[in-house]
Amino acid sequence: MTRGAGPGAMALFAFDFDGTLSDSEMTVLLGEQYGVADRMDDITERAMNDELAYAESLRQRAGLLEDLPDARAQAAFEQVYLRPGAADLIAALREAGHHVAILTGGFERGVEAALEREGVGVDTIVANSLPVGDGHLTGEVEGPLIEGTKDDALETLAMGEGIDLADAIAVGDGANDLPMLQVAGTAIGFVPKDAVRPHCDVVVANMDTLRRVLEEDGYLPAA
């Protein structure tokens, strides 16, 4: 599987969040608080299948949330959960000395809520945010992964940590993950969309399989 230096050295693991580390969809959970979940889901699906520019899709979804009380937004973020096995995998990778990052077009508050619930942390979170004014969402979205893409975020992170991109392992599922999958030394698809699958070095369907793959490739000690 590995195209980089890999086993024995510190590696950089970059995970997508919604659809990968979590099977929650933050924007849908937010939409359920406001009765617009179906419209959110349609926009998300079009974006993940590369039928709609990601930045435009994110702005459209955020716009549907204008005036949602922030307390209800926080209630949605508290419903974000990690997939079974994800927390254990993150902890094992960090214990093995690897740098673990989450690169998501989703929202930092949801990522943090899910990690905190499981009592696990990561080294870096690159995510977007929904501005709040007078206790309500403004309908806008801010952050580095709106116009910016995950390849740029991954390259910046690797440079800052002194890690070669060949020693970066990217894990994702959707079209907005393609840029980081294409520049990373190893591209892992987590139940990837059809447009993404051809760009993956390996495809997995659950965290247990992903962990076995990483053990076989020497990134983690065998259980």
Side-chain angles (χ1 to χ4, degrees), residues 131-160:
V132 178
D134 295 325
H136 295 74
L137 300 190
T138 65
E140 299 177 347
V141 60
E142 298 176 346
L145 290 176
I146 303 171
E147 296 292 349
T149 53
K150 293 186 180 183
D151 55 339
D152 291 336
L154 183 58
E155 288 170 355
T156 298
L157 179 57
M159 184 179 300

Side-chain angles (χ1 to χ4, degrees), residues 20-97:
T20 301
L21 286 177
S22 173
D23 60 4
S24 305
E25 287 288 349
M26 285 187 226
T27 52
V28 173
L29 291 171
L30 288 160
E32 288 173 348
Q33 292 285 337
Y34 217 28
V36 294
D38 289 345
R39 294 164 68 187
M40 290 262 188
D41 198 28
D42 179 63
I43 294 169
T44 300
E45 189 65 23
R46 290 173 60 204
M48 296 303 279
N49 285 320
D50 215 12
E51 299 169 6
L52 180 68
Y54 183 76
E56 178 59 24
S57 76
L58 194 54
R59 291 192 178 97
Q60 286 184 19
R61 286 175 283 172
L64 291 174
L65 297 171
E66 184 176 1
D67 290 330
L68 175 68
D70 188 51
R72 290 171 63 185
Q74 186 59 36
F77 290 134
E78 294 297 336
Q79 297 177 55
V80 179
Y81 289 85
L82 296 179
R83 289 185 186 277
D88 289 342
L89 177 59
I90 290 169
L93 287 169
R94 296 188 75 202
E95 185 175 349

